[in-house]
Amino acid sequence: MHADDTLGRPSGPWTALRGPVARSGPARAGRPRPSAARGGGAGRGGPRRPGPPRGTLLGGLRQLHRRAKRAWDRPLTAYYLVMGGSLLITVLGLVMVYSASQIKALQNGLPPTFFFRKQLLAAAIGTVMLLVAARMPVRLLRVFAYPALAGSLFLLCLVQVPGIGQTINGNTNWISLGGPFQLQPSEFAKLALVLWGADLLARKQSKKLLTQWKHLLVPLVPVTFVLLGLIMLGGDMGTTVVLTTVLLGLLWVAGAPTRLFAGVFGVTAVLAVLFIKTSANRMSRLACIGATDPGDHDQCWQAVHGIYALANGGWFGAGLGASVEKWGELPEPHTDFIFAITGEELGLAGTLSVLALFAALGYAGIRVAGRTEDPFVRYAAGGVTTWITAQAVVNIGAVLGLLPIAGVPLPLFSYGGSALLPTMFAIGLLIAFARDEPGARAALAMRQPGVRWKTMRRRVKKRPSGER
């Protein structure tokens, strides 16, 4: 390290020595040593105080903080967080689906690996969709947005046709595909809304129309309300909450003014209260927030036994496969309440690991949306991040007893192919967007086999013979 690097910008007589002349000849010998400069050299901010010694705890923490900061600022940080975080969540989810679903399968007269095999097949198809999405150009994605929205609307209408739509647990939101396979169109509507909304807002921004409130709302809000209405006809309140959050996230990223944002939020809140008040089932779910007793007619049975499962896990869990609540006590152990089984078998350490992975995924999505210069990428990344994080919060909050049970799966983790496939496609979009961050593509090219070594070898040949 040169003395100028330590002292800051030179002043006084040192100013005349800046430039190529100051780096050679006798003038170089007149410089103070770096060690002396660290002790009390005069810099831009006056005398510099000596930092903590490297051997102390405080010095080690500061050095660790600097290294972590440099790592977060690297161009490939978001890329690796999305890739690694989504992969770990999916693999851990497969393990927990296998563990949590065995007893349920045996109770239904099915092989113990029935649900795991279906989830593994969905994960394989989802991986192909992820790779396709990661390689799709942005222009093709924008063209794909409108057929995806039209297809989602058609399937949501098809669900309400008697004889086609299937009712499960009081909600009519499925279409039978034959045999054990079913399709839930509302899950694909989330992806369609993100792509269509991002393209709509990007086109309006290019025409400088987003400064007018009517262009912010129309047709984004009416089309979203049509999707919400079709989903609510089937009784799926949880998916409507997630879709509403996606709408609010798109408006937030688009820079909607606070009063407009608050107005949309107020209208959706009034509609939510109306839908809850008119349904005894939803009112009972709202009454189970924070419940510690199953109550009359065991209406809070699922919520209370989810808390029991988490309490049984302790710090490090009872062990993989050793859950007690999955033996018929906890309904839906492999879908909506798989987080509770994770807490019982892997303990607090396992649940905190899952939370950390979702937090890293959310941070990566926010970083991608904040660094891109493409409006479509910004809105799409913001919409996908809002979708995944909001759905994770709703699911985990219900398991912890902090939110009403909404019946939404934990993204990439719970059992359900209809939820896994569009989510993995959305993760592929985030991977593609993260790869196009400033400097990320060049950094990936440097990491190709043989490129880095050849580049370093060329640099070595250009160095002067006497330079260290």
Side-chain angles (χ1 to χ4, degrees), residues 70-94:
R70 287 196 299 267
W72 286 117
D73 291 337
R74 290 175 180 173
L76 291 177
T77 298
Y79 176 78
Y80 287 132
L81 283 178
V82 175
M83 284 280 292
S86 59
L87 177 63
L88 290 175
I89 293 173
T90 305
V91 172
L92 183 58
L94 287 172

Side-chain angles (χ1 to χ4, degrees), residues 4-171:
D4 287 348
D5 297 335
T6 307
L7 297 174
R9 186 184 299 276
S11 58
W14 292 99
T15 307
L17 298 179
R18 297 182 63 194
V21 178
R23 298 188 181 275
S24 60
R28 186 179 180 92
R31 292 184 178 183
R33 293 183 178 180
S35 59
R38 292 193 189 99
R44 206 171 1 180
R48 182 172 180 178
R49 295 181 180 179
R54 291 187 177 182
T56 63
L57 177 61
L58 183 59
L61 289 177
R62 288 188 177 181
Q63 187 177 7
L64 182 63
H65 176 264
R66 287 194 298 268
R67 290 181 178 178
K69 188 176 180 180
R70 287 196 299 267
W72 286 117
D73 291 337
R74 290 175 180 173
L76 291 177
T77 298
Y79 176 78
Y80 287 132
L81 283 178
V82 175
M83 284 280 292
S86 59
L87 177 63
L88 290 175
I89 293 173
T90 305
V91 172
L92 183 58
L94 287 172
V95 173
M96 293 311 305
V97 165
Y98 177 68
S99 175
S101 65
Q102 296 182 52
I103 307 303
K104 185 74 173 180
L106 292 173
Q107 289 175 345
N108 295 335
L110 301 170
T113 60
F114 175 79
F115 294 106
F116 170 73
R117 285 181 293 170
K118 287 183 62 179
Q119 187 74 355
L120 184 62
L121 176 62
I125 299 174
T127 301
V128 176
M129 295 177 63
L130 183 148
L131 296 176
V132 170
R135 295 295 178 182
M136 287 181 68
V138 172
R139 182 177 300 178
L140 184 58
L141 282 173
R142 300 183 68 167
V143 173
F144 174 71
Y146 290 85
L149 179 65
S152 298
L153 288 171
F154 174 74
L155 290 176
L156 288 173
C157 292
L158 204 61
V159 168
Q160 305 307 321
V161 177
I164 297 179
Q166 289 192 336
T167 302
I168 300 177
N169 295 332
N171 294 339

Side-chain angles (χ1 to χ4, degrees), residues 165-345:
Q166 289 192 336
T167 302
I168 300 177
N169 295 332
N171 294 339
T172 307
N173 285 303
W174 283 266
I175 297 176
S176 177
L177 299 179
F181 298 99
Q182 297 168 337
L183 178 68
Q184 189 175 2
S186 58
E187 293 293 337
F188 292 88
K190 301 172 187 176
L191 176 62
L193 177 62
V194 168
L195 293 178
W196 176 78
D199 179 72
L200 176 69
L201 293 174
R203 286 189 294 107
K204 291 195 173 188
Q205 180 175 335
S206 64
K207 298 178 181 179
K208 300 181 180 180
L209 297 176
L210 293 183
T211 55
Q212 305 176 33
W213 66 269
K214 60 181 180 180
H215 286 288
L216 269 172
L217 298 181
V218 181
L220 178 62
V221 174
V223 171
T224 305
F225 279 6
V226 171
L227 289 173
L228 295 177
L230 290 173
I231 294 172
M232 282 304 300
L233 285 177
D236 191 354
M237 187 70 181
T239 304
T240 60
V241 171
V242 176
L243 272 179
T244 303
T245 309
V246 172
L247 170 64
L248 297 177
L250 287 173
L251 292 176
W252 181 271
V253 176
T258 305
R259 60 183 181 275
L260 184 62
F261 190 84
V264 175
F265 182 78
V267 171
T268 54
V270 170
L271 293 176
V273 171
L274 180 63
F275 283 122
I276 292 174
K277 286 286 187 180
T278 55
S279 173
N281 182 33
R282 299 187 191 108
M283 286 296 297
S284 65
R285 292 187 180 190
L286 193 65
C288 291
I289 296 179
T292 57
D293 186 85
D296 298 334
H297 308 290
D298 292 333
Q299 64 177 3
C300 297
W301 179 273
Q302 188 174 15
V304 170
H305 278 271
I307 298 297
Y308 289 169
L310 293 172
N312 289 339
W315 290 99
F316 300 103
L320 194 62
S323 169
V324 175
E325 292 293 332
K326 69 182 180 183
W327 287 77
E329 297 294 333
L330 180 63
E332 308 299 333
H334 59 302
T335 55
D336 300 345
F337 271 71
I338 194 171
F339 188 76
I341 302 299
T342 304
E344 186 177 9
E345 295 188 351

Side-chain angles (χ1 to χ4, degrees), residues 328-389:
E329 297 294 333
L330 180 63
E332 308 299 333
H334 59 302
T335 55
D336 300 345
F337 271 71
I338 194 171
F339 188 76
I341 302 299
T342 304
E344 186 177 9
E345 295 188 351
L346 303 182
L348 181 64
T351 56
L352 290 181
S353 300
V354 175
L355 291 175
L357 290 174
F358 277 109
L361 199 58
Y363 165 81
I366 294 173
R367 169 173 162 149
V368 170
R371 290 197 173 194
T372 183
E373 297 178 359
D374 189 333
F376 173 80
V377 173
R378 181 183 305 113
Y379 298 133
V384 169
T385 306
T386 305
W387 159 21
I388 294 177
T389 54

